[in-house]
Amino acid sequence: MAKIQFAKGIEETAVPDVRLTRAKVGESGTATFTFTNPDILAQDGKDEVTGLYLIDEEGEIVIREVQGKFVNGKPESLEAIYVMQSNDEWDRFMRFMNRYAEKNGLGLSKS
């Protein structure tokens, strides 16, 4: 049931590139989502981006800061950064990502 939305009730079908970083010392980490040509941008302004909602059977993770990237004046991609401050937040995020990856046939590659 893992899904991603930019506006409540409208599921995003574009699969993001997700980059993870984690501090060597401490509990903080970040996840950077990049969506190239997401569905929400193709709707000609019918629906407003209100955040990034990661929804699964445990509930939802909300990311409020979403930025658009424009090429020649047209929106091309959306980027959101989720900052995790504890091991519990990291573990919750990874449970969501495992579910989302399984649903969408994604894999993990380490740099």
Side-chain angles (χ1 to χ4, degrees):
M1 166 186 151
K3 58 189 173 184
I4 294 178
Q5 300 177 349
F6 284 108
K8 290 284 192 160
I10 302 169
E11 189 168 344
E12 181 59 51
T13 61
V15 177
D17 176 48
V18 183
R19 302 199 182 268
L20 298 173
T21 60
R22 192 156 190 198
K24 291 181 181 180
V25 179
E27 301 178 340
S28 66
T30 62
T32 303
F33 291 82
T34 303
F35 293 82
T36 303
N37 296 315
D39 301 337
I40 193 88
L41 295 181
Q43 296 183 2
D44 297 326
K46 293 177 188 169
D47 293 298
E48 185 177 323
V49 174
T50 58
L52 184 65
Y53 305 92
L54 312 177
I55 303 166
D56 64 9
E57 53 266 19
E58 289 185 54
E60 71 180 24
I61 298 169
V62 179
I63 303 166
R64 289 288 175 205
E65 191 170 325
V66 178
Q67 297 182 1
K69 306 278 182 181
F70 293 80
V71 175
N72 295 324
K74 295 184 178 185
E76 181 177 273
S77 66
L78 293 175
E79 182 177 279
I81 299 174
Y82 178 51
V83 179
M84 295 160 273
Q85 299 294 335
S86 69
N87 284 330
D88 288 341
E89 286 181 335
W90 178 269
D91 292 342
R92 168 65 180 106
F93 174 77
M94 291 307 292
R95 288 193 304 275
F96 169 83
M97 283 308 299
N98 285 330
R99 291 178 184 120
Y100 186 77
E102 187 175 305
K103 176 184 173 192
N104 292 284
L106 303 176
L108 175 67
S109 61
K110 296 183 179 185
S111 59

